[in-house]
Amino acid sequence: MAALRDPGALTPLTLCPNGHAIDECSHCKVRALSVCSALDGDELEALDRLARHVAFDARATLFEQDEASEAVFNITGGSVRLYKLLPDGRRQIVGFALPGDFLGLSMSDRNAFSADALSAVSACQFPRQLFSDLLDEKPHLLRRLHTMASHELSLAQDQMVILGRRTAEEKVVAFLMGLRKRWSRIDGSTVHVPLPMTRQDIGDFLGLTVETVSRMLTKLAREKALVIVPDGVRLLDLPRLEALAEC
Amino acid sequence: MAALRDPGALTPLTLCPNGHAIDECSHCKVRALSVCSALDGDELEALDRLARHVAFDARATLFEQDEASEAVFNITGGSVRLYKLLPDGRRQIVGFALPGDFLGLSMSDRNAFSADALSAVSACQFPRQLFSDLLDEKPHLLRRLHTMASHELSLAQDQMVILGRRTAEEKVVAFLMGLRKRWSRIDGSTVHVPLPMTRQDIGDFLGLTVETVSRMLTKLAREKALVIVPDGVRLLDLPRLEALAEC
DNA sequence: CGTTGGGTTGATCGACCTCAATAAAAGTGG
DNA sequence: CCACTTTTATTGAGGTCGATCAACCCAACG
């Protein structure tokens, strides 16, 4: 695990040769959440032969918008920011990838967005074309991928409601509640919500400015709905927060 | 086709018995755009056995948010509004379905949104469970569905940029340009953009009020960037509009 | 006809943005 | 380990874009 913090690692590092990968997978903490779940021994083996276990330093780029897509990733640790840039510099973050999330669901040949590491990130990397070929051989894997893509689509539509029809306060609360739900599947935590991204990132995800995000968080803290802690928040008044996030 | 305008048709009508359905399909105008494309004879036949050709009057409901999903649809004519409602009545339209579009890509057992007809609509309807079973037998069909879902996801992410990081004017222009692109694949038109939805619908899609949508359209018309015509707009200054929509 | 549902236009208001200053935290190099 | 810089976060004052409220027009239709 020391390799994760290798200060020179601006490019992916192979943590272990493919020959040992089965061992890696059997220890994988996000197996049940990831694309690998619900695959039988045969399928998992085929998938595993394609996998390279890689790590990225915080701030490293996984891939960039409009570039040819060479690989797809299954995130096993850390968190990743996914965003689109407008020509004039305005930025919209389209999602944050957490452990268990899959990048490249669409299998398209060009990246629809950029992705970079918010913290040290570990991932399983698969060559895109080989992974795509495998999908044609393993319908079970394809079905799993489709289920994950459908879930992503559903989250994207929820985000549309948040962006289009909610107030600044509601946006921030909905964001926290949504993130809390996702973290809880990973680390089981209930009231502590780690925020590995900056206020600016949250703003660019919610269609707000940094200042407004900061103001809303302090307002919620002043009203004792939550406490701001180092690298995150602790939720205090869940009923009130759930009412604000509604549905 | 008279059945499409049957005034009593609040529930789906079968346009033809299943036995004739192959004939229906061979005449289908949106075949190349829809889920049916790129399927071989065997697959198309299996799909066809499940299909019921149905029609809805304008304003009819195809299905409602949170209800158990009983069927999936392939739209063959007309247009459909897809939306989510907040408990307090605020509405976010998550998309407009045009001919060739598929409703139910996610195959989930509950509808993530409501759908109702903006105009008279014709569609191929498939029982959800049977369609899902067919996906397990025909990987080719699943792959096609996944490709369509990925495309939807990409559109949803583009919409996030529009909702989160664009001005009212840019939103309206981006909406028109996006719709133009979609219509052009169906009817080949280039500068005429039919708008079967109300200004309110456009507002609820873009996160704006009716008044703002109306004001932006008149502004664009005043500046000779477009002309407002009955049931749509005609785009005049494409370079200017493309510049406003950027990327 | 009157009624109803869309659409447009104007006047006013307020939620959020912008600009600016400061504080706190995290690196960085000696 | 401590000065120094850089990045991130907070807070305040003032401005603006789009919302709200209200009036009116127009076409469709019973």
Side-chain angles (χ1 to χ4, degrees), chain B residues 168 208-209 211-212 215:
Chain B
L208 299 172
T209 58
E211 295 94 328
T212 301
R215 270 188 255 269

PDB file of all heavy atoms in Angstrom, chain B residues 168 208-209 211-212 215, chain D residues 17-22:
ATOM      1  N   ALA B 168     -29.714  32.139 -18.895  1.00  0.00           N
ATOM      2  CA  ALA B 168     -31.038  31.876 -19.462  1.00  0.00           C
ATOM      3  C   ALA B 168     -30.991  31.853 -20.985  1.00  0.00           C
ATOM      4  O   ALA B 168     -31.529  30.950 -21.623  1.00  0.00           O
ATOM      5  CB  ALA B 168     -32.024  32.932 -18.968  1.00  0.00           C
ATOM      6  N   LEU B 208     -36.030  27.296 -15.734  1.00  0.00           N
ATOM      7  CA  LEU B 208     -36.416  28.698 -15.907  1.00  0.00           C
ATOM      8  C   LEU B 208     -37.931  28.816 -15.723  1.00  0.00           C
ATOM      9  O   LEU B 208     -38.640  27.812 -15.676  1.00  0.00           O
ATOM     10  CB  LEU B 208     -36.047  29.187 -17.313  1.00  0.00           C
ATOM     11  CG  LEU B 208     -34.572  29.172 -17.717  1.00  0.00           C
ATOM     12  CD1 LEU B 208     -34.421  29.507 -19.193  1.00  0.00           C
ATOM     13  CD2 LEU B 208     -33.770  30.144 -16.870  1.00  0.00           C
ATOM     14  N   THR B 209     -38.428  30.051 -15.646  1.00  0.00           N
ATOM     15  CA  THR B 209     -39.876  30.256 -15.629  1.00  0.00           C
ATOM     16  C   THR B 209     -40.379  30.446 -17.062  1.00  0.00           C
ATOM     17  O   THR B 209     -39.582  30.713 -17.965  1.00  0.00           O
ATOM     18  CB  THR B 209     -40.238  31.518 -14.827  1.00  0.00           C
ATOM     19  OG1 THR B 209     -39.580  32.632 -15.421  1.00  0.00           O
ATOM     20  CG2 THR B 209     -39.832  31.379 -13.377  1.00  0.00           C
ATOM     21  N   GLU B 211     -42.031  32.910 -18.215  1.00  0.00           N
ATOM     22  CA  GLU B 211     -41.787  34.291 -18.631  1.00  0.00           C
ATOM     23  C   GLU B 211     -40.384  34.454 -19.188  1.00  0.00           C
ATOM     24  O   GLU B 211     -40.192  35.101 -20.223  1.00  0.00           O
ATOM     25  CB  GLU B 211     -41.989  35.250 -17.446  1.00  0.00           C
ATOM     26  CG  GLU B 211     -43.406  35.322 -16.905  1.00  0.00           C
ATOM     27  CD  GLU B 211     -43.639  34.372 -15.741  1.00  0.00           C
ATOM     28  OE1 GLU B 211     -43.010  33.297 -15.728  1.00  0.00           O
ATOM     29  OE2 GLU B 211     -44.452  34.702 -14.856  1.00  0.00           O
ATOM     30  N   THR B 212     -39.417  33.868 -18.507  1.00  0.00           N
ATOM     31  CA  THR B 212     -38.030  34.005 -18.967  1.00  0.00           C
ATOM     32  C   THR B 212     -37.837  33.326 -20.320  1.00  0.00           C
ATOM     33  O   THR B 212     -37.171  33.869 -21.202  1.00  0.00           O
ATOM     34  CB  THR B 212     -37.064  33.432 -17.923  1.00  0.00           C
ATOM     35  OG1 THR B 212     -37.252  34.130 -16.698  1.00  0.00           O
ATOM     36  CG2 THR B 212     -35.623  33.606 -18.342  1.00  0.00           C
ATOM     37  N   ARG B 215     -39.377  35.575 -22.890  1.00  0.00           N
ATOM     38  CA  ARG B 215     -38.536  36.772 -23.081  1.00  0.00           C
ATOM     39  C   ARG B 215     -37.295  36.453 -23.917  1.00  0.00           C
ATOM     40  O   ARG B 215     -36.926  37.235 -24.803  1.00  0.00           O
ATOM     41  CB  ARG B 215     -38.106  37.319 -21.727  1.00  0.00           C
ATOM     42  CG  ARG B 215     -39.074  38.336 -21.156  1.00  0.00           C
ATOM     43  CD  ARG B 215     -38.496  38.979 -19.903  1.00  0.00           C
ATOM     44  NE  ARG B 215     -39.132  38.452 -18.704  1.00  0.00           N
ATOM     45  CZ  ARG B 215     -40.216  38.991 -18.147  1.00  0.00           C
ATOM     46  NH1 ARG B 215     -40.781  40.046 -18.682  1.00  0.00           N
ATOM     47  NH2 ARG B 215     -40.743  38.471 -17.055  1.00  0.00           N
TER      48      ARG B 215
ATOM     49  P    DC D  17     -27.146  41.206 -15.331  1.00  0.00           P
ATOM     50  OP1  DC D  17     -25.852  41.386 -15.979  1.00  0.00           O
ATOM     51  OP2  DC D  17     -28.279  42.098 -15.649  1.00  0.00           O
ATOM     52  O5'  DC D  17     -27.612  39.694 -15.550  1.00  0.00           O
ATOM     53  C5'  DC D  17     -26.964  38.635 -14.843  1.00  0.00           C
ATOM     54  C4'  DC D  17     -28.016  37.687 -14.306  1.00  0.00           C
ATOM     55  O4'  DC D  17     -28.721  38.297 -13.213  1.00  0.00           O
ATOM     56  C3'  DC D  17     -29.062  37.267 -15.336  1.00  0.00           C
ATOM     57  O3'  DC D  17     -29.165  35.849 -15.260  1.00  0.00           O
ATOM     58  C2'  DC D  17     -30.339  37.986 -14.896  1.00  0.00           C
ATOM     59  C1'  DC D  17     -30.119  38.140 -13.385  1.00  0.00           C
ATOM     60  N1   DC D  17     -30.734  39.338 -12.736  1.00  0.00           N
ATOM     61  C2   DC D  17     -31.260  39.240 -11.429  1.00  0.00           C
ATOM     62  O2   DC D  17     -31.246  38.142 -10.857  1.00  0.00           O
ATOM     63  N3   DC D  17     -31.773  40.334 -10.840  1.00  0.00           N
ATOM     64  C4   DC D  17     -31.770  41.504 -11.471  1.00  0.00           C
ATOM     65  N4   DC D  17     -32.282  42.564 -10.833  1.00  0.00           N
ATOM     66  C5   DC D  17     -31.246  41.631 -12.801  1.00  0.00           C
ATOM     67  C6   DC D  17     -30.750  40.537 -13.398  1.00  0.00           C
ATOM     68  P    DG D  18     -29.953  35.042 -16.424  1.00  0.00           P
ATOM     69  OP1  DG D  18     -29.215  33.796 -16.673  1.00  0.00           O
ATOM     70  OP2  DG D  18     -30.245  35.976 -17.504  1.00  0.00           O
ATOM     71  O5'  DG D  18     -31.314  34.657 -15.679  1.00  0.00           O
ATOM     72  C5'  DG D  18     -31.238  33.863 -14.512  1.00  0.00           C
ATOM     73  C4'  DG D  18     -32.484  34.044 -13.691  1.00  0.00           C
ATOM     74  O4'  DG D  18     -32.634  35.419 -13.281  1.00  0.00           O
ATOM     75  C3'  DG D  18     -33.809  33.670 -14.378  1.00  0.00           C
ATOM     76  O3'  DG D  18     -34.481  32.794 -13.514  1.00  0.00           O
ATOM     77  C2'  DG D  18     -34.493  35.015 -14.571  1.00  0.00           C
ATOM     78  C1'  DG D  18     -33.986  35.771 -13.360  1.00  0.00           C
ATOM     79  N9   DG D  18     -34.078  37.214 -13.427  1.00  0.00           N
ATOM     80  C8   DG D  18     -33.766  38.036 -14.487  1.00  0.00           C
ATOM     81  N7   DG D  18     -33.966  39.308 -14.228  1.00  0.00           N
ATOM     82  C5   DG D  18     -34.433  39.316 -12.928  1.00  0.00           C
ATOM     83  C6   DG D  18     -34.821  40.401 -12.102  1.00  0.00           C
ATOM     84  O6   DG D  18     -34.828  41.606 -12.367  1.00  0.00           O
ATOM     85  N1   DG D  18     -35.233  39.966 -10.841  1.00  0.00           N
ATOM     86  C2   DG D  18     -35.262  38.655 -10.432  1.00  0.00           C
ATOM     87  N2   DG D  18     -35.686  38.412  -9.185  1.00  0.00           N
ATOM     88  N3   DG D  18     -34.907  37.637 -11.185  1.00  0.00           N
ATOM     89  C4   DG D  18     -34.502  38.034 -12.422  1.00  0.00           C
ATOM     90  P    DA D  19     -35.940  32.247 -13.672  1.00  0.00           P
ATOM     91  OP1  DA D  19     -35.851  30.797 -13.479  1.00  0.00           O
ATOM     92  OP2  DA D  19     -36.563  32.808 -14.878  1.00  0.00           O
ATOM     93  O5'  DA D  19     -36.671  32.848 -12.378  1.00  0.00           O
ATOM     94  C5'  DA D  19     -36.130  32.560 -11.096  1.00  0.00           C
ATOM     95  C4'  DA D  19     -37.019  33.154 -10.009  1.00  0.00           C
ATOM     96  O4'  DA D  19     -36.969  34.579 -10.079  1.00  0.00           O
ATOM     97  C3'  DA D  19     -38.494  32.771 -10.113  1.00  0.00           C
ATOM     98  O3'  DA D  19     -39.012  32.518  -8.815  1.00  0.00           O
ATOM     99  C2'  DA D  19     -39.136  33.976 -10.794  1.00  0.00           C
ATOM    100  C1'  DA D  19     -38.245  35.121 -10.343  1.00  0.00           C
ATOM    101  N9   DA D  19     -38.074  36.143 -11.377  1.00  0.00           N
ATOM    102  C8   DA D  19     -37.636  35.956 -12.663  1.00  0.00           C
ATOM    103  N7   DA D  19     -37.568  37.060 -13.368  1.00  0.00           N
ATOM    104  C5   DA D  19     -37.992  38.041 -12.493  1.00  0.00           C
ATOM    105  C6   DA D  19     -38.149  39.427 -12.623  1.00  0.00           C
ATOM    106  N6   DA D  19     -37.879  40.098 -13.753  1.00  0.00           N
ATOM    107  N1   DA D  19     -38.592  40.116 -11.557  1.00  0.00           N
ATOM    108  C2   DA D  19     -38.859  39.441 -10.420  1.00  0.00           C
ATOM    109  N3   DA D  19     -38.751  38.143 -10.165  1.00  0.00           N
ATOM    110  C4   DA D  19     -38.305  37.493 -11.256  1.00  0.00           C
ATOM    111  P    DT D  20     -40.502  32.087  -8.632  1.00  0.00           P
ATOM    112  OP1  DT D  20     -40.525  31.263  -7.401  1.00  0.00           O
ATOM    113  OP2  DT D  20     -40.993  31.575  -9.917  1.00  0.00           O
ATOM    114  O5'  DT D  20     -41.290  33.452  -8.344  1.00  0.00           O
ATOM    115  C5'  DT D  20     -40.847  34.316  -7.315  1.00  0.00           C
ATOM    116  C4'  DT D  20     -41.721  35.565  -7.305  1.00  0.00           C
ATOM    117  O4'  DT D  20     -41.379  36.420  -8.418  1.00  0.00           O
ATOM    118  C3'  DT D  20     -43.219  35.283  -7.433  1.00  0.00           C
ATOM    119  O3'  DT D  20     -43.871  35.990  -6.384  1.00  0.00           O
ATOM    120  C2'  DT D  20     -43.596  35.831  -8.814  1.00  0.00           C
ATOM    121  C1'  DT D  20     -42.553  36.924  -8.998  1.00  0.00           C
ATOM    122  N1   DT D  20     -42.192  37.273 -10.387  1.00  0.00           N
ATOM    123  C2   DT D  20     -42.192  38.611 -10.748  1.00  0.00           C
ATOM    124  O2   DT D  20     -42.496  39.502  -9.985  1.00  0.00           O
ATOM    125  N3   DT D  20     -41.824  38.848 -12.046  1.00  0.00           N
ATOM    126  C4   DT D  20     -41.463  37.915 -13.002  1.00  0.00           C
ATOM    127  O4   DT D  20     -41.141  38.257 -14.130  1.00  0.00           O
ATOM    128  C5   DT D  20     -41.481  36.547 -12.558  1.00  0.00           C
ATOM    129  C7   DT D  20     -41.100  35.446 -13.508  1.00  0.00           C
ATOM    130  C6   DT D  20     -41.840  36.296 -11.293  1.00  0.00           C
ATOM    131  P    DC D  21     -45.398  35.722  -5.989  1.00  0.00           P
ATOM    132  OP1  DC D  21     -45.481  35.813  -4.515  1.00  0.00           O
ATOM    133  OP2  DC D  21     -45.843  34.512  -6.703  1.00  0.00           O
ATOM    134  O5'  DC D  21     -46.160  36.984  -6.620  1.00  0.00           O
ATOM    135  C5'  DC D  21     -45.664  38.281  -6.368  1.00  0.00           C
ATOM    136  C4'  DC D  21     -46.363  39.286  -7.253  1.00  0.00           C
ATOM    137  O4'  DC D  21     -45.724  39.331  -8.550  1.00  0.00           O
ATOM    138  C3'  DC D  21     -47.848  38.987  -7.516  1.00  0.00           C
ATOM    139  O3'  DC D  21     -48.574  40.192  -7.345  1.00  0.00           O
ATOM    140  C2'  DC D  21     -47.856  38.495  -8.958  1.00  0.00           C
ATOM    141  C1'  DC D  21     -46.724  39.341  -9.538  1.00  0.00           C
ATOM    142  N1   DC D  21     -46.118  38.832 -10.794  1.00  0.00           N
ATOM    143  C2   DC D  21     -45.707  39.758 -11.762  1.00  0.00           C
ATOM    144  O2   DC D  21     -45.864  40.964 -11.547  1.00  0.00           O
ATOM    145  N3   DC D  21     -45.156  39.303 -12.907  1.00  0.00           N
ATOM    146  C4   DC D  21     -45.009  37.994 -13.101  1.00  0.00           C
ATOM    147  N4   DC D  21     -44.447  37.593 -14.251  1.00  0.00           N
ATOM    148  C5   DC D  21     -45.418  37.032 -12.130  1.00  0.00           C
ATOM    149  C6   DC D  21     -45.970  37.492 -10.999  1.00  0.00           C
ATOM    150  P    DA D  22     -50.200  40.213  -7.425  1.00  0.00           P
ATOM    151  OP1  DA D  22     -50.633  41.123  -6.342  1.00  0.00           O
ATOM    152  OP2  DA D  22     -50.715  38.823  -7.492  1.00  0.00           O
ATOM    153  O5'  DA D  22     -50.463  40.906  -8.830  1.00  0.00           O
ATOM    154  C5'  DA D  22     -49.761  42.092  -9.173  1.00  0.00           C
ATOM    155  C4'  DA D  22     -50.069  42.458 -10.603  1.00  0.00           C
ATOM    156  O4'  DA D  22     -49.184  41.746 -11.507  1.00  0.00           O
ATOM    157  C3'  DA D  22     -51.504  42.104 -11.057  1.00  0.00           C
ATOM    158  O3'  DA D  22     -52.075  43.218 -11.719  1.00  0.00           O
ATOM    159  C2'  DA D  22     -51.287  40.941 -11.998  1.00  0.00           C
ATOM    160  C1'  DA D  22     -49.933  41.309 -12.603  1.00  0.00           C
ATOM    161  N9   DA D  22     -49.227  40.217 -13.246  1.00  0.00           N
ATOM    162  C8   DA D  22     -49.112  38.924 -12.829  1.00  0.00           C
ATOM    163  N7   DA D  22     -48.415  38.154 -13.634  1.00  0.00           N
ATOM    164  C5   DA D  22     -48.062  39.007 -14.667  1.00  0.00           C
ATOM    165  C6   DA D  22     -47.322  38.808 -15.843  1.00  0.00           C
ATOM    166  N6   DA D  22     -46.789  37.631 -16.191  1.00  0.00           N
ATOM    167  N1   DA D  22     -47.147  39.869 -16.657  1.00  0.00           N
ATOM    168  C2   DA D  22     -47.687  41.048 -16.307  1.00  0.00           C
ATOM    169  N3   DA D  22     -48.396  41.355 -15.234  1.00  0.00           N
ATOM    170  C4   DA D  22     -48.546  40.277 -14.441  1.00  0.00           C
TER     171       DA D  22
END
